[in-house]
Amino acid sequence: MAANINRVVLVGNLTRDPEMKHLPSGTALCSLRIAVNTRRKDESGQWTDKPNYFDVSVWGAQGESCAQYLAKGRPVAIDGRLEWREWEATDGSGKRQAVEIVADNVQFLGSRGDGDGGGGGGGGSFVPAGASQQGGADFPSSPTDDDIPF
Protein backbone atom coordinates (compact mmCIF):
# COMPACT_ATOMS: atom_id res chain seq x y z
CA MET A 1 0.00 0.00 0.00
CA ALA A 2 1.36 3.41 -0.98
CA ALA A 3 1.83 6.11 1.62
CA ASN A 4 -0.48 9.13 1.62
CA ILE A 5 1.08 12.57 1.29
CA ASN A 6 -0.71 15.79 2.18
CA ARG A 7 1.74 18.71 1.85
CA VAL A 8 1.24 22.26 0.65
CA VAL A 9 3.92 24.92 0.15
CA LEU A 10 2.82 28.40 -0.94
CA VAL A 11 4.49 31.79 -1.21
CA GLY A 12 2.21 34.78 -1.62
CA ASN A 13 0.89 37.98 -0.06
CA LEU A 14 -1.75 38.48 2.61
CA THR A 15 -4.98 39.88 1.17
CA ARG A 16 -6.21 41.17 4.55
CA ASP A 17 -4.99 41.65 8.10
CA PRO A 18 -4.85 38.44 10.18
CA GLU A 19 -7.96 37.62 12.20
CA MET A 20 -7.24 36.30 15.68
CA LYS A 21 -9.63 34.47 17.98
CA HIS A 22 -9.37 32.22 21.00
CA LEU A 23 -11.44 29.08 21.37
CA PRO A 24 -13.29 28.41 24.67
CA SER A 25 -10.39 26.10 25.57
CA GLY A 26 -8.04 29.11 25.31
CA THR A 27 -6.31 27.86 22.15
CA ALA A 28 -5.34 30.65 19.75
CA LEU A 29 -6.44 30.47 16.12
CA CYS A 30 -5.28 32.96 13.52
CA SER A 31 -6.96 33.06 10.10
CA LEU A 32 -5.00 34.30 7.11
CA ARG A 33 -5.92 34.68 3.45
CA ILE A 34 -3.12 34.72 0.91
CA ALA A 35 -3.02 35.38 -2.80
CA VAL A 36 -0.64 33.40 -4.99
CA ASN A 37 -0.29 34.31 -8.67
CA THR A 38 -0.10 31.75 -11.47
CA ARG A 39 1.56 32.97 -14.67
CA ARG A 40 -0.02 31.95 -17.95
CA LYS A 41 -0.24 33.12 -21.54
CA ASP A 42 -3.49 34.72 -22.66
CA GLU A 43 -5.07 34.43 -26.12
CA SER A 44 -2.70 37.04 -27.53
CA GLY A 45 0.38 35.20 -26.26
CA GLN A 46 1.13 37.75 -23.51
CA TRP A 47 2.00 36.56 -20.02
CA THR A 48 -0.62 37.44 -17.39
CA ASP A 49 -1.02 36.70 -13.69
CA LYS A 50 -4.07 34.86 -12.42
CA PRO A 51 -4.51 35.21 -8.65
CA ASN A 52 -5.46 32.21 -6.53
CA TYR A 53 -6.77 32.79 -3.01
CA PHE A 54 -6.25 30.44 -0.07
CA ASP A 55 -7.53 30.39 3.51
CA VAL A 56 -4.90 29.43 6.08
CA SER A 57 -5.36 28.50 9.76
CA VAL A 58 -2.45 28.97 12.14
CA TRP A 59 -2.82 27.52 15.65
CA GLY A 60 -1.31 28.30 19.04
CA ALA A 61 1.67 30.53 19.74
CA GLN A 62 2.57 30.59 16.06
CA GLY A 63 -0.89 32.03 15.29
CA GLU A 64 -0.41 34.70 17.96
CA SER A 65 2.90 35.68 16.34
CA CYS A 66 1.23 35.93 12.94
CA ALA A 67 -1.51 38.16 14.34
CA GLN A 68 1.07 40.38 16.04
CA TYR A 69 3.61 40.79 13.21
CA LEU A 70 1.74 40.33 9.92
CA ALA A 71 -0.49 42.78 8.04
CA LYS A 72 -2.30 43.02 4.72
CA GLY A 73 0.10 42.92 1.77
CA ARG A 74 2.92 41.22 3.68
CA PRO A 75 4.66 38.40 1.79
CA VAL A 76 4.68 35.02 3.56
CA ALA A 77 5.66 31.42 2.90
CA ILE A 78 3.34 28.72 4.22
CA ASP A 79 4.19 25.05 4.72
CA GLY A 80 1.23 22.97 5.79
CA ARG A 81 -1.44 20.46 4.89
CA LEU A 82 -4.89 20.52 3.32
CA GLU A 83 -7.89 19.89 5.53
CA TRP A 84 -11.43 19.31 4.28
CA ARG A 85 -14.39 20.21 6.45
CA GLU A 86 -18.15 20.01 6.12
CA TRP A 87 -20.94 21.73 8.05
CA GLU A 88 -24.65 22.41 7.91
CA ALA A 89 -25.54 25.90 6.61
CA THR A 90 -27.02 28.16 9.29
CA ASP A 91 -29.93 29.08 6.99
CA GLY A 92 -30.91 25.39 6.63
CA SER A 93 -30.15 25.31 2.90
CA GLY A 94 -27.96 22.22 3.10
CA LYS A 95 -24.40 21.17 3.68
CA ARG A 96 -21.40 23.35 2.95
CA GLN A 97 -17.82 22.26 2.47
CA ALA A 98 -14.43 23.87 2.17
CA VAL A 99 -10.77 22.97 1.87
CA GLU A 100 -8.35 25.08 3.89
CA ILE A 101 -4.66 25.00 4.64
CA VAL A 102 -3.53 24.25 8.18
CA ALA A 103 -0.08 25.79 8.56
CA ASP A 104 2.70 23.80 10.16
CA ASN A 105 5.27 26.53 9.49
CA VAL A 106 4.94 30.19 8.57
CA GLN A 107 7.88 32.21 7.29
CA PHE A 108 7.61 36.00 7.33
CA LEU A 109 9.21 37.37 4.16
CA GLY A 110 10.43 40.88 3.47
CA SER A 111 10.32 43.38 6.32
CA ARG A 112 7.59 44.87 8.47
CA GLY A 113 7.36 47.80 6.07
CA ASP A 114 6.46 45.46 3.19
CA GLY A 115 2.75 45.46 4.03
CA ASP A 116 0.05 46.92 1.81
CA GLY A 117 1.26 45.30 -1.39
CA GLY A 118 4.95 45.53 -0.62
CA GLY A 119 7.54 43.40 -2.36
CA GLY A 120 8.83 40.03 -1.35
CA GLY A 121 12.29 38.65 -1.24
CA GLY A 122 14.72 39.02 1.55
CA GLY A 123 15.13 36.86 4.56
CA GLY A 124 12.39 36.39 7.03
CA SER A 125 11.59 35.01 10.38
CA PHE A 126 11.01 31.29 10.41
CA VAL A 127 8.40 30.35 13.00
CA PRO A 128 8.12 26.60 13.59
CA ALA A 129 4.82 25.17 14.82
CA GLY A 130 4.45 25.65 18.55
CA ALA A 131 7.14 28.33 18.78
CA SER A 132 6.67 32.03 19.15
CA GLN A 133 8.37 34.71 17.09
CA GLN A 134 10.22 35.96 20.15
CA GLY A 135 12.97 33.46 20.82
CA GLY A 136 10.81 30.34 21.09
CA ALA A 137 12.71 28.67 18.27
CA ASP A 138 15.80 26.51 18.71
CA PHE A 139 18.05 29.07 17.04
CA PRO A 140 18.95 32.71 17.67
CA SER A 141 16.97 35.42 15.91
CA SER A 142 20.15 36.94 14.46
CA PRO A 143 23.37 34.97 14.03
CA THR A 144 26.71 36.18 15.29
CA ASP A 145 30.12 35.34 13.82
CA ASP A 146 30.44 32.58 16.44
CA ASP A 147 27.27 30.93 15.12
CA ILE A 148 28.45 30.60 11.52
CA PRO A 149 29.73 27.01 10.97
CA PHE A 150 32.45 27.84 8.44
Side-chain angles (χ1 to χ4, degrees):
M1 176 181 261
N4 294 316
I5 299 173
N6 182 356
R7 239 32 252 153
V8 176
V9 177
L10 298 170
V11 176
N13 292 71
L14 295 178
T15 63
R16 63 178 179 183
D17 287 339
E19 295 177 6
M20 186 69 184
K21 67 179 176 180
H22 289 83
L23 303 180
S25 65
T27 303
L29 172 60
C30 183
S31 297
L32 307 175
R33 175 164 282 205
I34 67 169
V36 179
N37 287 331
T38 300
R39 298 214 18 105
R40 60 172 67 172
K41 285 189 178 183
D42 62 14
E43 299 81 28
S44 68
Q46 298 297 315
W47 285 101
T48 60
D49 288 332
K50 178 198 175 290
N52 297 284
Y53 301 97
F54 299 98
D55 292 321
V56 180
S57 295
V58 189
W59 293 89
Q62 183 175 212
E64 291 174 347
S65 293
C66 288
Q68 181 177 358
Y69 293 107
L70 294 177
K72 179 180 178 179
R74 181 83 186 261
V76 294
I78 305 289
D79 175 27
R81 65 187 188 281
L82 294 176
E83 190 166 290
W84 179 81
R85 56 190 177 95
E86 182 178 56
W87 67 96
E88 193 68 37
T90 56
D91 63 3
S93 62
K95 292 190 181 235
R96 301 285 188 257
Q97 55 186 332
V99 175
E100 68 179 353
I101 297 165
V102 176
D104 292 325
N105 297 301
V106 177
Q107 185 172 358
F108 304 168
L109 303 177
S111 64
R112 279 187 169 180
D114 284 342
D116 295 318
S125 302
F126 178 72
V127 182
S132 73
Q133 178 76 9
Q134 307 214 335
D138 293 333
F139 47 86
S141 58
S142 60
T144 63
D145 287 341
D146 294 335
D147 296 325
I148 300 173
F150 51 88

